[in-house]
């Protein structure tokens, strides 16, 4: 029984909030979350929070923006209702992967653009995604050559009607181009319409990832401007602080640097002990297994587990240099390390579209000769067609925590096993509330 | 030497309005994509430089499931412009979201309008242009300049051109809108009436009484917002019972959520006039009584004046043609 504490659960993950409250031995904070007819989020807090230590639990999943704004409104409501301290508990932190540029690792866009434009792939081209593109322009774009190159491009464009096969460079209002700019701008409306009708917005989320209309093809930055991708990560950090959060508790942030975006304390809990424990008790002869990181970015996370368990480690490296012409569209994956005849345990912080882990699993089985492949991830977002992909993949088992609701995923994916995290969060909340150290939670077994 | 020109950006809330504003301004919308990843996180890609430019982001509030998405889009676009070294970022929000959650009307109620104001500032906006705020005090929630444009000149012109207005009475459907309605009545030199209502729960209306005389007149209901239209339809009933010849309604923000279209179709209202601060093309098909006033000229002129450092107050009393 913990006194003077109110734990409010957001609508993203009510079960987790309920389990945390049970663990703490307190009743759920009474809160009504709904929407007005217009679509504005409505928050009503029934319990008094005056002078209380308030924890709001909201995970970044499902309709991320709705849940984020609901969290912000709840925090702000508690703050204006004289709460002593408001702590935002975000088991899975929304927008945590957008903190780095370019955002092209596993976060496949909801939609894949059309294949148009693939004919002008250069040696350095990557598969087309609406993410930032590598600049195609070589040394021609040095100072002074720019003007010439621009005018040349402008002529080319007007001749063949659009480099990338976008429906015309500019269908309307030919007088509207800004003076001084040699190029006409492409029509944003068309790509927006393509987005709107192609993806069906929210409703299509569970469906195919092939949402964009065919008229959506990202234009190359032929003004010599490298595409600018928003850094929503810092924005979310700012928004939480400006709503009035005094403290953040989260788990396995994609970038540890993310903590630095905040001016308030951030407790980044680790899912690692849970995963380690699972390996210890569920993989027979785990001492002979090999921990595999599916990409270089996660190597540190994977080696930490390998070290703690005293077992071997391997890494999958994405070869970006095209070795043969036919291979250049897909980055080739290379396995670094030996695991023939052994059990491979893939470790990552997050499985979103699950593209990385399924491809890694295939590689481990076919080229690496692994007998079994397990994937252990902290955040099982499983968006798009991730579940179908996992079901069809070479993965034998996928283990994730319930930082994100997994009931629906479990129903469709027999390979999925879920580890509960409520006790970790409950303990963190208890310790934060009493002002005890939480570094004991970071200690490995 | 940099040019510092107007760059107009928009999200997915109201592309048609943005296009019309852009056409009025004689610029092209910035080449950019606003979309969601499969994990439903919003992302923004800009394919043109905004360095040292005067950036205007037009994003209204479109009722429905995506309202919060549109708000996040605005914030992310503003942040992207800020980090891309825009000289000034102006958020154009014809319909301000969460404007009705502007006071702590009961214990622990959130003042979400204040939160939205804070978020907009935090995302990097230096200036806000909006229209007919539900409560003009919301301007005070901001530390940056807020230009609250009025739809009143547009409304006046519409009344003059479309009705036999000498034989009309301006009616406010609630006490809160009395000021707006009297201002309009004064400008047209017309009589004024008021409907007093008691509200038990949000989005529901209970009892109504008419104060004033509407017998054999055209009753013009004036309000800033039509959401579920419960108030307007009931008010129309009351006015017809009181002997009005015809009842029309003119509102700035036609949110028309829920079954508002059906309500209006079946009501005694002969016409519902809204501005296009909120997209409602699909609703017009469902309800032929809806008529639209175009606000793009006003917004475009506000942009132009803001960009050139001219006074905007001209727009408070004049209509752009």
């Amino acid at each position: 029984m913990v006194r003077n504490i109110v734990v409010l659960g957001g609508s993203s993950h009510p079960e987790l909030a309920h389990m945390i409250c049970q663990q703490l031995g307190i009743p759920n904070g009474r809160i009504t979350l709904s929407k007005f007819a217009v679509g504005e989020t409505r928050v009503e807090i029934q319990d008094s929070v005056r002078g209380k230590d308030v924890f709001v639990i909201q995970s970044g999943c499902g309709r991320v923006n709705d849940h984020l704004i609901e969290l912000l409104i709840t925090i702000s409501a508690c703050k204006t209702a004289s709460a002593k301290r408001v702590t935002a508990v975000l088991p899975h932190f929304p927008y945590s992967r957008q903190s780095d540029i370019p955002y092209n690792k596993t976060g496949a866009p909801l939609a894949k653009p059309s294949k148009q434009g693939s004919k002008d792939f250069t040696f350095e081209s990557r598969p087309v995604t609406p993410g930032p593109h590598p600049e195609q322009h070589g040394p021609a774009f040095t100072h002074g050559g720019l003007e010439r190159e621009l005018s040349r491009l402008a002529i080319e464009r007007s001749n063949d009607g659009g480099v990338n096969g976008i429906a015309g460079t500019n269908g309307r209002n030919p007088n509207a181009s800004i003076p001084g700019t040699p190029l006409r701008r492409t029509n944003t409306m068309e790509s927006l319409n393509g987005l709107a009708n192609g993806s069906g917005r929210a409703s299509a989320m569970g469906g195919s990832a092939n949402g964009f209309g065919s008229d959506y093809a990202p234009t190359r930055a032929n003004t010599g401007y490298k595409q600018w991708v928003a850094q929503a990560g810092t924005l979310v950090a700012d928004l939480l602080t400006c709503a009035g959060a005094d403290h953040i508790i989260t788990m396995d942030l994609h970038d540890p640097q993310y903590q630095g975006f905040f001016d308030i304390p951030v407790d980044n809990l680790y899912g690692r002990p849970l995963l380690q424990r699972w390996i210890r008790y569920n993989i027979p002869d785990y001492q002979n297994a090999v921990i595999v990181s599916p990409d270089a970015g996660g190597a540190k996370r994977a080696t930490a587990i390998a070290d703690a368990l005293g077992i071997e480690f391997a890494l999958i490296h994405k070869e970006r240099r095209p070795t043969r012409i036919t291979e250049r569209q897909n980055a080739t994956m290379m396995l670094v390390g030996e695991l023939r005849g052994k059990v491979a345990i893939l470790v990552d912080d997050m499985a979103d579209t699950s593209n990385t882990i399924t491809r890694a699993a295939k590689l481990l089985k076919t080229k690496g000769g692994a007998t079994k492949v397990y994937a252990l991830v902290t955040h099982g977002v499983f968006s798009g067609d991730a579940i179908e992909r996992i079901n069809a993949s070479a993965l034998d088992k996928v283990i994730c925590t319930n930082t994100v609701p997994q009931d629906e995923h479990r129903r469709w994916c027999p390979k999925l096993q879920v580890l509960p995290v409520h006790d970790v969060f409950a303990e963190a909340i208890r310790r934060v509330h009493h002002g005890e150290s939480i570094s004991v939670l970071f200690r490995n077994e | 030497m940099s040019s510092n020109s107007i760059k107009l950006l928009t999200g997915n809330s109201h592309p048609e309005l943005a296009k019309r504003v852009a056409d009025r301004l004689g610029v092209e919308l910035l080449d950019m994509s606003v979309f969601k990843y499969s994990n439903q996180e919003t992302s923004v890609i800009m394919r043109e430089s905004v360095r040292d430019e005067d950036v205007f982001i037009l994003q209204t509030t479109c009722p429905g499931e995506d309202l919060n998405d549109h708000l996040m889009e605005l914030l992310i676009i503003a942040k992207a412009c800020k980090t891309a070294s825009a000289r000034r970022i102006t958020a154009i929000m014809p319909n301000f979201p969460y404007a009705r959650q502007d006071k702590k009307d009961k214990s622990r109620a959130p003042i979400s309008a204040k939160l939205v104001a804070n978020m907009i500032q935090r995302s990097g906006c230096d200036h806000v242009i909006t229209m007919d705020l539900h409560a003009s005090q919301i301007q005070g929630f901001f530390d940056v300049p807020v230009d609250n444009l009025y739809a009143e000149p547009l409304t006046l012109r519409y009344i003059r051109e479309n009705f036999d207005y000498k034989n009309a009475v301006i009616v406010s459907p609630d006490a809160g809108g009395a000021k707006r309605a009297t201002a309009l009545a004064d400008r047209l030199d017309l009589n004024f009436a008021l409907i007093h209502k008691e509200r038990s729960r949000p989005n529901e209306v209970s009892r109504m009484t008419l104060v004033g005389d509407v017998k054999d007149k055209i009753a013009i209901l004036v309000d800033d917002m039509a959401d579920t239209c419960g108030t307007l339809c009931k008010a129309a009933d009351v006015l017809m019972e009181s002997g009005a010849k015809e009842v029309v309604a003119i509102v700035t923000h036609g949110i028309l959520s829920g079954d508002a279209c059906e309500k209006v179709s079946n009501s005694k209202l002969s016409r519902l006039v809204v501005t296009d601060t909120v997209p409602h093309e699909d609703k017009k098909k469902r309800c032929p009584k809806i008529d639209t006033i175009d606000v793009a000229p006003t917004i475009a002129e506000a942009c132009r004046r803001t960009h050139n450092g001219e006074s905007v107050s001209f727009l408070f009393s004049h209509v752009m043609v």
Side-chain angles (χ1 to χ4, degrees), chain B residues 7-301:
Chain B
K7 294 278 179 188
L8 186 66
L9 286 71
T10 187
N12 293 322
S13 63
H14 202 344
E16 300 86 17
L17 180 65
K19 185 182 169 298
R20 272 186 279 124
V21 172
D23 286 349
R24 287 286 299 202
L25 287 168
V27 299
E28 289 280 319
L29 287 164
L30 194 98
D31 184 13
M32 65 187 298
S33 307
V34 182
F35 60 95
K36 269 185 177 178
Y37 287 106
S38 57
N39 63 5
Q40 307 214 25
E41 290 179 359
T42 303
S43 188
V44 170
I45 296 173
M46 287 152 59
R47 298 191 196 85
E48 277 180 66
S49 173
V50 294
R51 184 175 293 270
D52 231 7
E53 304 282 13
D54 199 5
V55 170
F56 292 83
I57 307 164
L58 195 152
Q59 182 83 326
T60 186
T61 306
C62 180
E65 285 283 287
D66 297 338
L67 185 133
N68 288 331
D69 291 334
H70 294 151
L71 180 56
M72 279 305 288
E73 279 173 12
L74 170 67
L75 299 173
I76 293 173
I77 295 170
K79 183 75 182 180
C81 292
K82 197 75 189 171
T83 48
S85 312
R87 182 180 291 183
R88 180 173 63 174
I89 300 166
T90 305
I92 309 171
M93 310 168 82
N95 179 23
F96 194 84
Y98 291 94
R100 278 173 290 178
Q101 299 187 41
D102 57 353
K103 55 196 167 297
K104 205 172 153 182
D105 46 8
K106 56 187 159 190
S107 291
R108 296 175 292 280
I111 307 172
S112 306
K114 168 73 179 167
L115 176 66
V116 171
N118 279 345
M119 295 195 314
I120 288 166
Q121 290 177 88
R122 196 54 91 86
S123 69
C125 293
D126 306 302
H127 195 130
V128 176
I129 296 175
T130 179
M131 196 168 222
D132 272 3
L133 276 174
H134 185 62
S136 51
Q137 287 85 345
I138 292 174
Q139 286 181 84
F141 292 172
F142 285 89
D143 294 326
V144 297
V146 178
D147 287 323
N148 184 19
L149 304 174
Y150 298 126
E152 193 189 90
L154 294 166
T155 313
L156 280 172
R157 187 178 63 171
Y158 188 92
I159 293 174
R160 286 206 179 101
E161 287 175 1
N162 290 276
F163 300 118
D164 170 25
Y165 77 95
K166 298 282 183 211
N167 191 26
V169 180
I170 304 290
V171 185
S172 172
D174 58 7
K179 225 169 162 181
R180 189 176 294 109
T182 45
L184 208 61
D186 285 351
R187 293 285 295 274
L188 290 163
D189 198 16
L190 291 177
N191 278 334
F192 162 77
L194 179 124
I195 291 174
H196 175 66
K197 71 174 172 185
E198 284 158 16
R199 198 188 277 270
S200 49
R201 296 222 305 272
N203 297 334
E204 265 177 52
V205 180
S206 47
R207 221 156 43 84
M208 283 185 152
T209 33
L210 177 70
V211 185
D213 184 27
V214 293
K215 200 155 185 64
D216 297 327
K217 298 269 176 91
I218 303 172
I220 302 175
L221 281 161
V222 177
D223 207 350
D224 66 328
M225 193 179 283
D227 188 351
T228 53
C229 292
T231 312
L232 286 179
C233 295
K234 285 217 173 148
D237 289 344
V238 173
L239 289 168
M240 287 308 270
E241 279 162 26
S242 309
K245 197 166 74 181
E246 188 189 357
V247 184
V248 296
I250 304 182
V251 293
T252 309
H253 305 298
I255 293 163
L256 308 175
S257 59
D259 54 355
C261 292
E262 287 68 38
K263 265 190 210 158
V264 171
S265 299
N266 300 328
S267 75
K268 299 208 168 80
L269 282 172
S270 62
R271 203 188 298 190
L272 174 63
V273 185
V274 296
T275 69
D276 58 355
T277 54
V278 177
H280 56 268
E281 279 308 311
D282 52 329
K283 284 162 189 154
K284 259 174 123 166
K285 290 194 190 102
R286 277 161 56 198
C287 177
K289 287 182 183 175
I290 298 174
D291 198 11
T292 310
I293 302 176
D294 186 9
V295 292
T298 308
I299 290 172
E301 183 62 12

Side-chain angles (χ1 to χ4, degrees), chain A residues 240-420:
Chain A
L240 282 166
T241 350
C242 106
D246 299 300
H247 196 127
I248 307 283
I249 300 176
T250 183
M251 184 176 257
D252 275 359
L253 278 173
H254 186 66
D255 296 307
Q257 285 83 353
Y258 206 100
Q259 279 179 292
F261 295 167
F262 288 92
D263 296 325
I264 52 174
V266 177
D267 285 319
N268 185 18
L269 307 174
Y270 296 116
R272 210 167 69 208
L274 286 170
L275 303 181
Q276 265 164 231
R277 202 180 311 146
W278 190 90
I279 295 172
R280 238 186 252 276
Y281 293 112
N282 293 277
I283 298 183
D285 193 25
Y286 75 89
Q287 287 89 346
N288 283 322
V290 180
I291 302 282
V292 185
S293 173
D295 59 7
K300 226 168 166 179
R301 207 173 289 120
T303 46
I305 290 189
D307 286 350
L309 293 167
I311 59 179
E312 276 181 62
F313 166 76
L315 174 96
I316 291 172
H317 170 59
K318 267 189 207 143
E319 176 71 72
R320 288 282 184 210
R321 272 174 312 176
T323 43
R324 288 206 314 268
I325 294 294
T326 47
E327 278 179 357
R328 66 170 181 240
Q329 288 213 15
N330 287 323
T332 36
M333 292 174 107
M334 275 170 42
L335 179 64
V336 185
E338 180 55 47
L339 44 70
R340 195 157 293 279
K342 290 186 177 174
V343 173
I345 306 168
L346 280 162
V347 173
D348 208 349
D349 64 331
M350 178 186 311
D352 184 355
T353 56
S354 306
N355 203 9
T356 313
I357 56 166
T358 48
R359 278 177 61 180
K362 189 177 166 200
L363 180 81
L364 292 174
K365 280 243 168 122
T366 54
K367 288 195 187 157
T371 52
K372 271 196 162 174
V373 180
Y374 297 95
L376 274 74
V377 293
T378 309
H379 306 296
V381 179
F382 302 128
S383 66
D385 49 2
I387 293 294
E388 290 89 66
R389 197 172 285 165
I390 289 172
N391 283 336
S393 74
L395 286 165
D396 291 290
K397 212 158 201 176
V398 178
I399 294 92
C400 69
T401 69
N402 64 346
T403 52
V404 170
Q406 298 293 351
D407 290 350
E408 192 63 21
H409 299 147
R410 273 254 294 278
R411 192 170 308 151
W412 301 110
C413 184
K415 292 179 180 180
L416 187 65
Q417 189 174 342
V418 179
L419 308 175

